[in-house]
Amino acid sequence: MASKVIQAFYNDDDVLMHAVKRVRAAKHHIEEVYTPFPVHGLDKAMGLAPTRIAITSFLYGCVGLTVAILMMNYIMIEDWPQDIGGKPSFSYIENMPAFVPIMFEMTVFFAAHLMVITFYMRSKLWPFKEAENPDVRTTDDHFLMEIELHGNEQELYDLLVDTGAVEINSIEK
Amino acid sequence: MYTFSNRLKIGSFILMAVGLIGIAIGFISAPSTVEEAKAMVASHAEGHGGDHGDGHAVPGETEGEVHMDEAGMQHPTVGMGAEVEHGNALAHDQEHEMSHDEHLLHQLQNRPWSALYVAALFFFFIALGVLAFYAIQRAAQAGWSPLLFRVMEGITAYLVPGGIIVFVILLLSVLHLNHIFVWMDPEVVAHDELLQGKQGYLNPTFFLIRAAIFLAGWIFYREYSRKLSLAQDEATDNTNFVKNFKWSAAFLVFYLVTESIMSWDWIMSVDPHWFSTLFGWYVFASMFVSGITVIAMVVIYLKSRGYLPDVNDSHLHDLAKFMFGISIFWTYLWFAQFMLIWYADIPEEVTYFVTRIDDYKLPFFGMIVMNFLFPILVLMNSDYKRVNWFVVMAGIIILLGHYLDVFNMIMPATVGDQWYIGIPEISSVLFFMGLFTFWIFRAMATVPLQPKRNPFIEESRQFHY
């Protein structure tokens, strides 16, 4: 699929933010923005949907809590209810305070790790993955906005120059 | 400038009047003789179908026996252990002179006093918790909160009347008008070696001196910081602000030490045979979260009346985050205290929880639901923290939960299994709620609600999360 994109470089995050707002106002579709560091408010300016990773984390935490409860109930109460130092192992609730540290840690463990793995999977990050960086300068001191082209190259070019772009390239992808 | 609305003023007067009547009824209906006390319990027992005497053996009988409680845990109660077992309500030595009936009489006589004391402490703690929060905001040079300083200063105005009332109750206890603190009774101490050993610390004179020092220190900081805060509005430089910063940092040191000692004196000493090392922190967490909750609720109220135009969702979000976080912190300390004592099950410590679980099952565990489960589920979502009615609803539950927390700290030691949340308890809460509301809104009406020249005020106005 041969499509053309235009890449505009900026060297200041404030300028970039204004440029994003203007390009969006002019109804152009921004494919991607590459920045060397998080730019506060950029996602809002681009109109990106809010992340749902906190919700997944909550659900993973619930899974961890369930795992801990089922595990301790099976091991300590059902499978071999031994008398260990006089702790009451007649039912789960009677000995529950002793299990709370495990329940807590398992909840945190599941919530944290599964959320991180979810993040890696959703952002397609893994070791030996080929970097998708269009220009090395975007990891250092330049900001890059990538916009789809639909035969309106000149008009977009003028707009981007007007927003303060320091360099504009159009590329076949 | 805030004007104290007439409806709120009349409402708080009605609360105070109704509360006073109820408190009076509570004192009048308390029994004055053993016969009356027995008659009261007899008529009460019919409705509840249980005689409290069954689960509460006379101390002398359990000595040297193995004692089973409801949870099926065994407590070998030999010698001192048996005495400690029953020492939470009244010192054990009285077994020789005081019959079971007299013990009951004291519990019933204590009820209106304890109800008053619990409510007085609870509302005083709210003001003190707000003062700690305020000092932290100043010492940390927080950029988001200066807009709320006048609200916090208004709430801490209650320290003066609230502190005086608590002090008067302590003074009346020292004068033997009630039996809240058993160690104040020389008869009890004379027969109790444990209390004799603690007499160097737990003696009425030193107790009152300590209380006076704590109250003087807290009230001094509050009044002085308020003065500097108001002076900063009219000043041409920031010297008042810097001074306030230094005093706040110094106050926090003083506060941490005195708050801890205060919790031993005013709360832990109602169970003079029992001790816990993290008790001070636990009480602090309770007052801190109640204080933050009240700040949030007052801010929401004032904003809804249009008095805090610059306060936005993000300020509310921050307060709700604090409510959420400190609720969990409170639970952490509650559980740390409970679990360590439950796990080791040392008779002299564990009685504290045995009596609470036996006689106060619903308030004791209900409090965990209200102070932990409810806030954690309701306030976890970031969007909900910005919804006013959500924060208010969570705040009401948190405040009720922390009232129960103070209730669970005091009542088991003073009224034992004769507790009930009835006229004396509810009236005391209503009275102090009225006084608190009246006092704090009156204080807020005296000065503009927004500081003028705080160096962080612009940041606070622009605060956005």
Side-chain angles (χ1 to χ4, degrees):
Chain A
M1 202 179 94
S3 73
K4 244 183 147 185
V5 293
I6 194 157
Q7 293 180 335
F9 289 80
Y10 297 87
N11 53 14
D12 186 277
D13 48 342
D14 268 349
V15 178
L16 172 79
M17 283 288 283
H18 285 112
V20 165
K21 280 172 195 158
R22 287 210 30 207
V23 170
R24 289 242 310 156
K27 302 259 185 276
H28 293 290
H29 178 71
I30 300 172
E31 285 269 284
E32 192 64 271
V33 176
Y34 297 87
T35 66
F37 54 78
V39 178
H40 186 75
L42 185 60
D43 53 340
K44 275 222 180 81
M46 288 173 69
L48 298 181
T51 174
R52 287 167 296 179
I53 201 150
I55 299 169
T56 67
S57 181
F58 177 77
L59 296 175
Y60 296 146
C62 294
V63 172
L65 184 64
T66 312
V67 167
I69 292 173
L70 292 179
M71 175 177 76
M72 299 315 292
N73 185 52
Y74 176 71
I75 297 173
M76 300 302 289
I77 309 296
E78 284 175 10
D79 189 39
W80 197 357
Q82 249 196 143
D83 183 342
I84 302 165
K87 285 275 158 286
S89 12
F90 306 107
S91 71
Y92 190 78
I93 197 73
E94 266 181 292
N95 210 3
M96 201 208 43
F99 304 143
V100 166
I102 298 159
M103 286 153 66
F104 171 77
E105 293 295 348
M106 291 285 264
T107 309
V108 174
F109 180 86
F110 273 64
H113 288 82
L114 292 182
M115 177 178 78
V116 167
I117 293 168
T118 307
F119 168 73
Y120 285 153
M121 283 163 54
R122 286 292 287 151
S123 0
K124 304 193 176 66
L125 285 175
W126 55 84
F128 310 113
K129 176 188 157 98
E130 203 180 326
E132 289 168 2
N133 193 18
D135 191 296
V136 287
R137 285 172 295 169
T138 63
T139 63
D140 182 18
D141 62 347
H142 276 68
F143 303 81
L144 191 159
M145 179 167 25
E146 202 172 79
I147 306 154
E148 248 177 285
L149 271 181
H150 299 287
N152 49 358
E153 192 167 346
Q154 191 54 46
E155 176 207 338
L156 189 54
Y157 184 86
D158 293 341
L159 175 68
L160 290 173
V161 169
D162 199 35
T163 59
V166 291
E167 185 181 324
I168 300 170
N169 305 325
S170 58
I171 289 173
E172 290 284 345
K173 243 193 177 171
Chain B
M1 194 81 170
Y2 170 65
T3 42
F4 196 167
S5 90
N6 255 331
R7 278 169 63 192
L8 199 61
K9 203 181 277 179
I10 293 166
S12 58
F13 281 135
I14 292 173
L15 282 177
M16 276 191 266
V18 171
L20 268 182
I21 294 168
I23 291 170
I25 292 173
F27 276 104
I28 290 165
S29 56
S32 49
T33 61
V34 170
E35 283 66 39
E36 279 182 53
K38 281 167 84 172
M40 274 177 77
V41 174
S43 66
H44 207 63
E46 282 164 29
H48 291 266
D51 179 6
H52 77 287
D54 290 341
H56 205 82
V58 178
E61 293 173 5
T62 53
E63 216 155 303
E65 283 177 9
V66 172
H67 183 65
M68 293 277 275
D69 69 25
E70 276 175 19
M73 287 181 277
Q74 289 192 334
H75 299 293
T77 50
V78 184
M80 197 60 88
E83 294 160 356
V84 171
E85 184 96 349
H86 297 275
N88 68 305
L90 279 169
H92 65 285
D93 58 279
Q94 296 193 323
E95 63 197 68
H96 302 301
E97 302 143 48
M98 195 163 74
S99 71
H100 182 70
D101 296 334
E102 242 174 296
H103 174 107
L104 175 70
L105 174 66
H106 278 180
Q107 288 187 329
L108 289 173
Q109 283 178 334
N110 264 341
R111 199 181 142 198
W113 282 103
S114 304
L116 196 67
Y117 187 50
V118 167
L121 276 185
F122 174 68
F123 281 95
F124 179 72
F125 282 172
I126 290 176
L128 193 57
V130 172
L131 189 67
F133 188 73
Y134 171 79
I136 289 171
Q137 297 302 312
R138 283 214 174 266
Q141 306 201 353
W144 68 277
S145 52
L147 217 46
L148 311 176
F149 276 175
R150 285 291 137 79
V151 174
M152 297 185 211
E153 287 164 9
I155 297 171
T156 53
Y158 179 76
L159 279 178
V160 177
I164 290 172
I165 290 173
V166 169
F167 190 80
V168 166
I169 295 177
L170 298 179
L171 188 69
L172 295 179
S173 306
V174 168
L175 297 175
H176 303 299
L177 266 80
N178 59 57
H179 304 98
I180 293 179
F181 300 93
V182 278
W183 57 266
M184 285 177 183
D185 191 342
E187 279 288 294
V188 175
V189 177
H191 296 95
D192 189 325
E193 270 189 65
L194 281 177
L195 292 187
Q196 283 162 21
K198 294 183 182 185
Q199 243 179 334
Y201 184 78
L202 283 184
N203 66 70
T205 323
F206 190 24
F207 178 80
L208 285 182
I209 292 173
R210 284 195 305 264
I213 292 173
F214 305 157
L215 286 169
W218 300 333
I219 290 172
F220 165 76
Y221 166 71
R222 191 270 160 190
E223 298 300 327
Y224 190 57
S225 175
R226 163 83 157 184
K227 208 183 122 214
L228 289 172
S229 173
L230 293 178
Q232 176 66 26
D233 272 8
E234 310 303 330
T236 47
D237 58 8
N238 286 336
T239 45
N240 292 300
F241 176 82
V242 174
K243 237 186 192 174
N244 214 346
F245 164 76
K246 288 178 182 162
W247 274 102
S248 301
F251 165 75
L252 284 171
V253 177
F254 174 80
Y255 169 79
L256 271 188
V257 176
T258 51
E259 189 274 336
S260 193
I261 301 175
M262 176 278 287
S263 72
W264 310 334
D265 281 5
W266 298 0
I267 300 176
M268 205 157 80
S269 85
V270 295
D271 284 293
H273 283 179
W274 180 79
F275 49 86
S276 165
T277 41
L278 62 65
F279 197 72
W281 278 108
Y282 170 62
V283 173
F284 163 72
S286 181
M287 70 168 76
F288 202 47
V289 70
S290 316
I292 294 166
T293 305
V294 170
I295 297 174
M297 290 168 85
V298 172
V299 165
I300 289 171
Y301 168 75
L302 290 174
K303 182 151 176 64
S304 75
R305 298 283 141 144
Y307 287 114
L308 292 169
D310 287 338
V311 171
N312 58 38
D313 275 2
S314 300
H315 295 98
L316 187 65
H317 189 142
D318 262 29
L319 285 169
K321 268 193 287 190
F322 268 109
M323 284 161 66
F324 174 78
I326 308 296
S327 282
I328 294 170
F329 176 63
W330 173 88
T331 314
Y332 166 64
L333 292 176
W334 174 84
F335 183 72
Q337 176 170 279
F338 172 73
M339 198 262 241
L340 286 185
I341 290 174
W342 172 86
Y343 209 105
D345 205 17
I346 300 170
E348 66 190 73
E349 287 180 346
V350 84
T351 49
Y352 185 82
F353 289 113
V354 169
T355 48
R356 275 157 184 78
I357 292 173
D358 283 354
D359 298 335
Y360 290 75
K361 204 162 251 143
L362 186 63
F364 188 68
F365 291 111
M367 165 179 95
I368 312 306
V369 175
M370 293 165 86
N371 291 344
F372 173 63
L373 224 52
F374 190 82
I376 201 180
L377 292 177
V378 168
L379 292 178
M380 192 178 314
N381 190 313
S382 185
D383 296 332
Y384 293 172
K385 292 195 198 86
R386 291 162 183 271
V387 182
N388 284 1
W389 69 268
F390 242 87
V391 176
V392 171
M393 182 180 67
I396 290 170
I397 301 287
I398 289 175
L399 288 179
L400 288 175
H402 284 279
Y403 170 77
L404 270 188
D405 189 18
V406 182
F407 186 85
N408 281 325
M409 290 176 190
I410 301 291
M411 287 295 181
T414 54
V415 302
D417 54 3
Q418 296 301 318
W419 71 276
Y420 191 70
I421 297 187
I423 291 174
E425 288 79 8
I426 294 170
S427 312
S428 303
V429 171
L430 292 183
F431 171 74
F432 283 104
M433 196 195 287
L435 180 65
F436 185 82
T437 315
F438 173 71
W439 205 274
I440 68 169
F441 284 107
R442 207 194 59 147
M444 275 179 240
T446 54
V447 288
L449 273 180
Q450 184 163 326
K452 276 199 283 266
R453 271 204 83 254
N454 188 303
F456 291 112
I457 197 73
E458 194 51 32
E459 182 180 342
S460 183
R461 268 171 24 79
Q462 306 291 340
F463 176 66
H464 168 78
Y465 169 74

